Every structure is written in C-alpha cells, then in structure tokens.
Amino acid sequence: EISCSLVGSEMCIRDSPCIAWASYHIQALNPNANIVVAPSDHLILKEDEFAQCVNRGLDFVSKYPALLTLGIKPNRPETGYGYIQIGEDAEDNIKTVKTFTEKPNLEFAKMFVESGEFFWNSGIFIWNVQTIIKAFQRFLPDISNRFEENIKVFNTPEEKHFIDENFAACPSISIDFGIMEKASNVFVLCAEFGWSDLGSWSALYDHSPKNKDENVTQNCKALLYNTTGSVIAVTVSYTHLRAHETAANL
C-alpha cells in the first residue's frame, strides 16, 4: 500500500529548491526512503521497460550512496537535449558518469551520437533521501541550511507557512548544475524505454498524430493551404495559415 502526500508551489523556480523541499518532506515521513524524481511533461511509450529500469535503479541506490540518473540511448543528433558521457562499468547497464553537456550544437550532437559514449539526459533521477540531502548540504548549502534550521516543521501543519515565507529566497538553480555536475558519486543507468522530452517542437511533432499533409494541430481547428510538416498550436478556435514554401516548418 502506497500513501500519497502532495507538496506544491505556484512559484516558477528551478528544480533544486523543489527537490530539496520534497526530500526534507519525505525524510520526515521515512528517513530511509528511496526517491524517484521524474518530470511531469515527458513521454514514456514502453511503460513496462520503464518500470523495470526504475526498480533496478531503486535496488542500486538502496545498496550504494549513489546519485543515479537515467540515460537514454540517442537515435538522432538532437540539439534540444543534454547529454551524459558514460565512464566505467559499475553494474550491468549502470556506468559512472564522465561529463554532463548541456544542449550542444548540431556538429557536437553528431559527434556525440557517433561516438557511442553519450546518452541523452532524461532528467529522471533515483537516490536515497539521505544521499541527496548530504549532496545538498555539500554543494547547495544556501538551500539546505534554510531547511535544516527549520527541520521540525516538515510534515506538520507549520510546513506550509514556513515554505510560503522561505521558498522564494532559495537560489533558483538546476539540480544538474547545482549537484550532478559536481558530485563524484553520480551514475547513469543506460536505458531505452521510448522516452521523449515534449518540451521541444520537434519532439511534439514526432509524437503527435498527423493529417495527410503531415501537419500537426494542437488545441485548435486549422484550415491550411500549401503547408506540410508543420505544427500549428494556437489558443483561438480557428486559424488560417498559408505557407508559400513547404518544408518542415517547425
């Protein structure tokens, strides 16, 4: 049986403070918990394979104080994703991490894919709650100190007031830059489970239903002329779009 506890904020802020808040909240519930961090806007087509990877990762972080990320085998030189360069074997399909590289240009993306040493950074992480809190204490003390000083409020009625008063003061920094690129206990589980980050137009196009002219419409009704290979996403009910040139208008 799994109980559910939700924490949320209306503030637009990078993921490190969000992960820290969730970690301290979870620690108050279970100080030995293993955690999966997963973005809400990603597409996963092979759910059974994904579940197997998650279970494998949970088993790994329960045995070792590791910060584990899921790396996706690339099938094209994508410039919209970050890349992870793999290192030595730790266990089957789990490697050490040599480097993280943010979204590269096309030339470097081609080199990464051809080398076979680079995987897409899925932004899905698995770790033990104590491992990630220790990482915050070492690499992002401006965040952890604020939570440590008020650690008794987590999972109490006072937690919401504390967050309302303090959350906005946390540095807005990504977990990749703040911790993963600096820590030495980072590993990657190399996987293939039909993953896509729908944060780019090309990914949205690839995974959306298309009409006979290979166009995609999102949340609208569109009348198109001389238009192929395009994404049309607007907020009005009807749109008139005419393209004089037709070619992958993404």
Side-chain angles (χ1 to χ4, degrees):
E1 182 179 349
I2 299 176
S3 61
C4 180
S5 178
L6 299 178
V7 296
S9 172
E10 297 179 357
M11 301 173 200
C12 181
I13 196 168
R14 294 281 187 146
D15 57 358
S16 284
C18 302
I19 292 171
W21 176 14
S23 298
Y24 278 92
H25 182 88
I26 290 170
Q27 179 184 233
L29 295 169
N30 180 356
N32 297 311
N34 296 314
I35 301 173
V36 179
V37 177
S40 62
D41 61 345
H42 290 188
L43 176 68
I44 294 173
L45 296 175
K46 302 175 182 178
E47 294 182 4
D48 290 341
E49 286 88 341
F50 174 65
Q52 291 174 10
C53 287
V54 168
N55 287 329
R56 176 78 194 289
L58 289 169
D59 178 66
F60 184 76
V61 302
S62 68
K63 296 185 296 185
Y64 307 106
L67 302 171
L68 182 67
T69 182
L70 302 189
I72 308 300
K73 185 176 181 180
N75 57 21
R76 64 183 185 278
E78 174 61 59
T79 60
Y81 299 158
Y83 286 75
I84 301 169
Q85 185 180 18
I86 61 174
E88 299 177 353
D89 290 339
E91 288 188 0
D92 185 32
N93 286 336
I94 297 180
K95 317 279 188 181
T96 60
V97 171
K98 282 187 178 180
T99 60
F100 285 89
T101 302
E102 287 302 315
K103 301 171 183 177
N105 60 34
L106 183 58
E107 181 180 357
F108 276 101
K110 289 179 179 178
M111 292 172 54
F112 291 167
V113 174
E114 290 170 0
S115 74
E117 295 183 4
F118 289 82
F119 284 68
W120 286 334
N121 184 358
S122 70
I124 301 173
F125 306 104
I126 305 175
W127 42 53
N128 182 269
V129 66
Q130 297 304 323
T131 305
I132 189 61
I133 286 178
K134 288 177 181 177
F136 273 103
Q137 291 168 345
R138 179 176 180 183
F139 298 109
L140 292 174
D142 287 348
I143 295 176
S144 64
N145 288 345
R146 189 174 295 272
F147 290 155
E148 291 285 345
E149 291 170 1
N150 297 272
I151 198 166
K152 292 184 178 180
V153 306
F154 290 99
N155 198 35
T156 73
E158 288 75 36
E159 181 176 349
K160 183 180 185 305
H161 176 73
F162 165 74
I163 292 298
D164 290 343
E165 293 293 319
N166 290 272
F167 194 64
C170 291
S172 182
I173 185 171
S174 73
I175 198 73
D176 281 334
F177 182 75
I179 291 179
M180 301 299 284
E181 294 179 13
K182 300 173 182 176
S184 60
N185 58 331
V186 178
F187 296 81
V188 56
L189 194 164
C190 304
E192 292 183 80
F193 45 76
W195 172 90
S196 179
D197 179 353
L198 297 181
S200 67
W201 287 113
S202 59
L204 179 65
Y205 179 83
D206 288 343
H207 296 285
S208 297
K210 303 168 184 65
N211 65 15
K212 61 182 179 63
D213 296 317
E214 295 298 306
N215 293 312
V216 172
T217 57
Q218 291 285 328
N219 301 320
C220 66
K221 296 179 180 179
L223 181 62
L224 309 176
Y225 302 95
N226 298 327
T227 304
T228 61
S230 298
V231 175
I232 299 90
V234 293
T235 57
V236 297
S237 298
Y238 290 89
T239 298
H240 181 101
L241 173 65
R242 178 168 183 171
H244 295 285
E245 297 181 3
T246 60
N249 301 308
L250 299 178

